[in-house]
């Protein structure tokens, strides 16, 4: 374990590692295989006379004209030195055959025709669906190398909807360069488009190697002098228009999060690029063209490619006739004493009434503990049940962990959430620290000023920053022990003010924060500096040497903010319809990495390590219901009916090669499901099927299907049912009071034996259910009674 937690130099920072993973290779092959039969070209040269206005045809090429059904316009002669992508030599029929072959082997719906887009003018539009956190950016970068290796195409433009994604893509190109050099024996040249640094565009055109330009949509689709330069003849660019030089390359456009770029003006702007083809990558496609690959939320969870999710809910419980404030955080168990409840209550102090966290035991009187506050009269602890996380009082009031009663305004709710997030962070950090994994927690806020403000004296902590430091120090004091352990030394080396930071837009002239909700100056370009640490220096944030572990951000909900070691997410904001629960958790789904840069993806331990906790401002049930609804809606393209028609013609991938499901085989599969009640009257998969699979008691297939059992069950599993929904855990897990050594002592065992015999001969019950209830109650009482008292 490395214990030099500070002062690590640039040369010592971790280096993220990459490896070839089959599921990512499948995504790359899905794109490349669409062009099987395309001859490899080293790139076609063209010329544009420097200093003379180029005349480059914007009109459709003959291939485009054929696919779109419009009149071809001959290309005019290009006269500047450069290399462009070779034209597609496949006929529309050949291309469609290839696409259908790719779709068939994945059992995707077959495209009836090539779906062109008259708005962009591009006849070839391919959709790649990949769930957040599964390496979408890696896949399309690798696809560039694969397309170059197979077909010689070398000019690629990645178009993104925001600065955040732009910086993330650029970072990915940097950190994967050595990896792809090992795989393909070459490096790509890449740059971010800047209208004032057009020498990069010259190199993009003149270089024959793999060239990648990353551009955010605002650079060519926004008002303002800088944004319009791409369409203007520029003196410092030999009186040429940058867009003409770009389009002469016949680039392949890769759209990252295309659903964010579907405005009519934006789509029309794509026509100016004269793309050879457009590949669209997203987890949530809004408009679909020809879908050639699908790795959806269900696939990602089932294949353990992303973190599993647990929810720590908070509920405000309305009780009539009481104004007593109480919040039950959790139940603590121990081998040396009965369960205790961690409860926040109001206590009368010399300087007024304050809310304080206290540990309560059985028979504790809240009226006495509060200093005599009338609101707590009658509140005496009757029972603390760790098995179901409940605290009961003698007046009948009962709380479940995560429930609050009394006056819970927004400020109180946010403090509770911050406290719970910090506790969840520490719960995860202690075990993961010993595995060399740094834990990060992310807070979403709706108003920047609640975290940080500026006045004449400089930066001033906002409300949330102050609350965070108070709650952090309180929790830290409980976590720290007297032992001299590496983890204790790590915690003691970080000050509270160092361990949290915010990433927001700042007006560079006034040094004032720009609030995205209200500030008129808030634009995408304001974010560039704000994302330096989390986007441009991801390795530093992942290192123990960097003290920041808690991140507050307003704009992090935008697509593009991803860090693999986010283990806790807390939204200190009102839920609204603009951001789904799925988007919220999406920022923390990536699998974590350790200090060596290795991804924690061992199938045997992946979900023991990788669990994302969401601290919600609503109950577990409400949050999970909304999240599962979001996931279910995202799976709308999945088939729901398991009938003969669905199975017929599907492809089974066997060791001996692909095999098509015949009509006879489809009938056998259908009858097998019906016979075993694995489908209902509507031919939908029943919970009984999934339960049998989980318990490994699924009925045997007919003999004729036995050789392909694995593939047949994969085909059945591709039919969606609610029973397949990913299981979302409750982070407030019920606890069993651990037995100490006293349980095994002869004295206790002798007493237990006598009680058992006595009960058997002298107690009579009317029903077996009463017997079970009595034994369970007696067992619980004995554990509480003897665990702390036997020596």
């Amino acid at each position: 374990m490395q214990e030099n937690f500070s002062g690590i130099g640039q040369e010592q920072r971790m280096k993220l590692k990459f490896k070839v993973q089959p599921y990512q290779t499948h995504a790359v092959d899905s794109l490349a295989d669409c062009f099987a039969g395309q001859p490899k070209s080293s790139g076609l040269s063209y010329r544009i006379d420097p200093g003379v206005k180029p005349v480059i045809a914007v009109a459709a090429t003959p291939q485009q004209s054929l696919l779109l059904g419009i009149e071809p316009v001959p290309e005019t002669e290009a006269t500047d030195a450069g290399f462009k992508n070779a034209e597609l030599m496949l006929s529309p029929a050949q291309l469609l055959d290839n696409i259908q072959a790719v779709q068939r082997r994945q059992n995707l719906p077959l495209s009836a025709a090539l779906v062109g887009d008259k708005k962009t003018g591009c006849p070839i539009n391919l959709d790649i669906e990949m769930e957040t956190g599964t390496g979408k950016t890696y896949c399309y970068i690798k696809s560039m190398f694969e397309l170059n290796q197979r077909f010689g195409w070398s000019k690629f433009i990645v178009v993104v909807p925001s600065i955040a994604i732009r910086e993330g893509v650029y970072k990915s190109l940097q950190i994967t360069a050595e990896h792809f050099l090992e795989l393909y024996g070459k490096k790509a040249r890449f740059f971010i488009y800047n209208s004032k640094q057009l020498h990069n565009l010259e190199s993009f055109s003149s270089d024959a190697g793999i060239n990648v330009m990353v551009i955010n949509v605002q650079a060519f689709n926004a008002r303002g002098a800088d944004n319009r330069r791409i369409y203007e003849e520029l003196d410092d660019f030999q009186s040429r228009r940058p867009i003409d030089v770009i389009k002469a390359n016949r680039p392949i456009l890769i759209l990252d999060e295309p659903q964010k770029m579907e405005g009519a003006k934006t789509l029309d702007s794509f026509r100016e690029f004269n793309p050879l083809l457009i590949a669209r990558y997203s987890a949530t496609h809004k408009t679909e063209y020809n879908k050639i690959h699908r790795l959806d939320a269900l696939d990602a969870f089932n294949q353990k490619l992303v973190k599993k999710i647990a929810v720590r809910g908070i509920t405000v419980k309305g009780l009539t006739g009481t104004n007593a404030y109480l919040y039950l955080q959790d139940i603590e168990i121990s081998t040396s004493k009965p369960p205790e409840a961690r409860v926040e209550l109001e206590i009368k102090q010399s300087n007024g009434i304050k809310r304080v966290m206290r540990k309560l035991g059985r028979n504790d009187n809240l009226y006495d503990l509060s200093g005599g506050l009338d609101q707590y009269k009658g509140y005496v602890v009757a029972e603390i049940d760790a098995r179901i996380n409940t605290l009961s009082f003698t007046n009948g009031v009962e709380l479940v962990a995560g429930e609050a009663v009394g006056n819970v305004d927004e400020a109180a709710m946010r403090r509770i959430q911050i406290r719970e997030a910090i506790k969840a962070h520490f719960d995860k950090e202690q075990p993961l620290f010993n595995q060399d994994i740094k834990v990060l927690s992310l807070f979403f806020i709706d108003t920047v000023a609640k975290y940080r403000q500026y006045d004449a004296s400089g930066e001033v902590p906002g409300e949330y920053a102050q609350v965070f430091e108070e709650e952090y120090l309180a929790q830290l004091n409980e976590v720290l022990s007297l032992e001299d352990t590496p983890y204790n030394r790590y915690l003691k080396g970080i000050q509270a003010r160092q361990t949290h930071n915010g990433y927001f837009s700042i007006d560079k002239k006034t040094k004032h924060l720009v609030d995205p909700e209200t500030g008129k100056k808030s634009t995408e370009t304001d974010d560039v500096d704000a994302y330096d640490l989390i986007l441009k220096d991801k390795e530093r944030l992942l290192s123990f040497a960097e003290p920041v572990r808690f991140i507050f951000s307003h704009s992090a909900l935008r697509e593009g903010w991803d860090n693999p070691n986010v283990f806790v997410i807390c939204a200190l904001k009102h839920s609204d319809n603009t951001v789904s629960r799925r988007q919220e958790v999406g920022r923390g789904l990536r699998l974590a990495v350790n200090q060596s840069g290795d991804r924690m993806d061992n199938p045997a331990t992946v979900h023991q390590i990788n669990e994302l906790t969401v601290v919600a401002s609503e109950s577990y049930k409400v949050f999970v219901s909304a999240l599962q609804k979001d996931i279910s809606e995202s799976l709308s393209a999945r088939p729901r009916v398991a009938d003969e028609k669905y199975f017929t013609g599907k492809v089974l991938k066997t060791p001996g090669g692909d095999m098509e499901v015949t009509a006879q085989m489809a009938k056998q599969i259908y009858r097998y499901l019906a016979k075993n009640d694995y489908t209902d009257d509507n031919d939908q998969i029943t919970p009984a099927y999934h339960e049998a699979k989980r318990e490994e008691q699924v009925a045997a297939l007919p003999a004729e299907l036995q050789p392909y059992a694995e593939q047949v069950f994969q085909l059945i599993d591709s039919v969606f049912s609610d029973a397949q929904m990913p299981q979302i855990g409750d982070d407030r897990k019920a606890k069993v009071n651990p037995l100490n050594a006293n349980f095994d002592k002869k004295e206790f065992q002798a007493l237990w034996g006598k009680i058992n015999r006595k009960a058997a001969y002298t107690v009579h019950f009317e029903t077996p259910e009463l017997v079970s209830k009595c034994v369970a109650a007696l067992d619980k009482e004995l554990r509480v009674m003897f665990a702390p008292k036997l020596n």
Side-chain angles (χ1 to χ4, degrees), residues 137 233 495 655 690 740 747:
T137 308
E233 294 178 24
Q495 297 181 26
H690 296 291
N740 61 17
E747 299 91 336

Side-chain angles (χ1 to χ4, degrees), residues 28 71 167 174 204 242 308 474 544 588 632:
V28 173
E71 286 297 318
E167 296 297 330
Q174 288 177 318
F204 178 81
K308 66 178 182 179
F544 285 134
S632 179

Side-chain angles (χ1 to χ4, degrees), residues 16 130-138 140 162 164-169 171-172 175 256-257 283 306-307 440 442 444 531 533-539 541-542 551 553 555-567 569 582-593 599 612:
L16 292 172
M130 295 190 72
E131 175 63 3
T132 301
T134 57
K136 163 171 57 75
T137 308
Y138 173 95
Y140 65 65
S162 71
I165 300 181
R166 189 192 74 185
E167 296 297 330
V169 172
K171 181 66 179 179
S172 294
I175 63 180
D256 192 329
E257 304 295 348
V306 293
K307 291 188 182 87
L440 300 174
L442 175 62
F444 299 140
Y531 282 91
L533 180 60
I534 56 175
L535 288 180
K536 292 184 177 179
D537 207 353
K538 185 180 290 187
E539 295 92 336
L541 187 59
L542 290 169
I551 299 159
S553 184
S555 52
L557 276 177
R558 296 178 189 152
E559 287 83 350
W561 199 106
D562 287 293
N563 190 292
N565 286 29
V566 170
F567 281 89
I569 284 180
R582 186 169 172 231
Q583 281 178 288
E584 287 183 6
V585 303
R587 301 307 98 203
L589 286 180
R590 293 182 184 276
L591 298 182
V593 298
R599 196 164 300 281
L612 173 69

Side-chain angles (χ1 to χ4, degrees), residues 340-635:
E340 291 181 312
R342 285 178 57 86
V343 176
E344 186 179 44
L345 68 155
E346 294 178 339
I347 293 180
K348 188 191 297 182
Q349 299 181 343
S350 57
N351 55 350
I353 296 174
K354 290 192 175 180
R355 290 183 175 177
V356 180
M357 187 66 70
R358 287 283 186 267
K359 290 184 181 180
L360 302 182
R362 198 169 185 181
N363 298 322
D364 279 347
N365 190 321
L366 268 56
Y367 177 73
D368 296 336
L369 291 173
S370 69
L373 293 179
D374 288 342
Q375 65 205 48
Y376 293 117
K377 283 183 177 178
Y379 278 86
V380 177
V381 177
E383 185 177 13
I384 300 171
D385 194 334
R387 298 173 308 167
I388 53 176
N389 272 333
T390 59
L391 166 66
S392 304
F393 295 96
T394 52
N395 61 2
V397 173
E398 183 177 279
L399 292 178
V400 178
E403 282 187 341
V405 294
N407 180 21
V408 185
D409 56 14
E410 183 171 350
M413 173 60 78
R414 301 310 175 211
R415 178 178 285 273
I416 290 172
Q417 282 185 272
I418 291 172
R419 181 190 302 141
E420 292 284 2
I422 294 170
K423 187 176 188 307
H425 179 101
F426 278 117
D427 288 346
K428 293 175 182 294
E429 188 175 63
Q430 286 179 290
L432 292 180
F433 178 84
N434 294 323
Q435 299 179 57
D436 252 6
I437 300 168
K438 182 178 178 181
V439 172
L440 300 174
S441 293
L442 175 62
F443 293 92
F444 299 140
I445 66 176
D446 52 7
T447 305
V448 174
K450 287 184 178 177
Y451 178 75
R452 181 185 293 158
Q453 304 176 33
Y454 285 92
D455 61 14
S457 61
E459 184 179 317
V460 179
E463 173 192 348
Y464 291 162
Q466 295 177 50
V467 170
F468 172 85
E469 292 190 12
E470 291 169 8
E471 296 294 339
Y472 176 82
L473 289 171
Q475 189 65 35
L476 178 65
N477 288 333
E478 295 203 14
V479 172
L480 285 173
S481 66
L482 297 175
E483 299 176 73
D484 183 26
T485 64
Y487 183 57
N488 270 348
R489 291 195 292 274
Y490 171 67
L491 293 180
K492 289 175 181 176
I494 302 174
Q495 297 181 26
R497 60 179 173 79
Q498 291 179 307
T499 202
H500 65 104
N501 213 332
Y503 301 91
F504 311 109
S505 304
I506 298 176
D507 186 290
K508 296 178 182 178
K509 294 181 181 178
T510 64
K511 291 281 287 181
H512 289 163
L513 286 166
V514 179
D515 193 327
E517 290 294 316
T518 59
K520 294 181 181 178
K521 293 181 180 177
S522 175
T523 65
E524 292 286 354
T525 54
D526 289 328
D527 288 333
V528 177
D529 292 337
Y531 282 91
D532 276 357
L533 180 60
I534 56 175
L535 288 180
K536 292 184 177 179
D537 207 353
K538 185 180 290 187
E539 295 92 336
R540 178 179 146 208
L541 187 59
L542 290 169
S543 168
F544 285 134
E546 170 56 52
V548 172
R549 294 137 72 213
F550 299 87
I551 299 159
F552 288 78
S553 184
H554 187 291
S555 52
L557 276 177
R558 296 178 189 152
E559 287 83 350
W561 199 106
D562 287 293
N563 190 292
N565 286 29
V566 170
F567 281 89
V568 181
I569 284 180
C570 178
L572 301 172
K573 56 191 286 295
H574 295 289
S575 296
D576 54 47
N577 295 325
T578 61
V579 179
S580 70
R581 304 299 192 284
R582 186 169 172 231
Q583 281 178 288
E584 287 183 6
V585 303
R587 301 307 98 203
L589 286 180
R590 293 182 184 276
L591 298 182
V593 298
N594 63 14
Q595 294 299 288
S596 300
D598 297 310
R599 196 164 300 281
M600 300 291 97
D601 58 0
N602 185 321
T605 59
V606 60
H607 277 171
Q608 294 174 21
I609 294 172
N610 291 279
E611 181 180 67
L612 173 69
T613 291
V614 181
V615 178
S617 58
E618 56 199 347
S619 72
Y620 165 81
K621 185 177 180 181
V622 170
F623 187 93
V624 168
S625 175
L627 176 58
Q628 290 187 326
K629 181 174 180 288
D630 288 342
I631 294 173
S632 179
E633 288 174 354
S634 76
L635 302 172

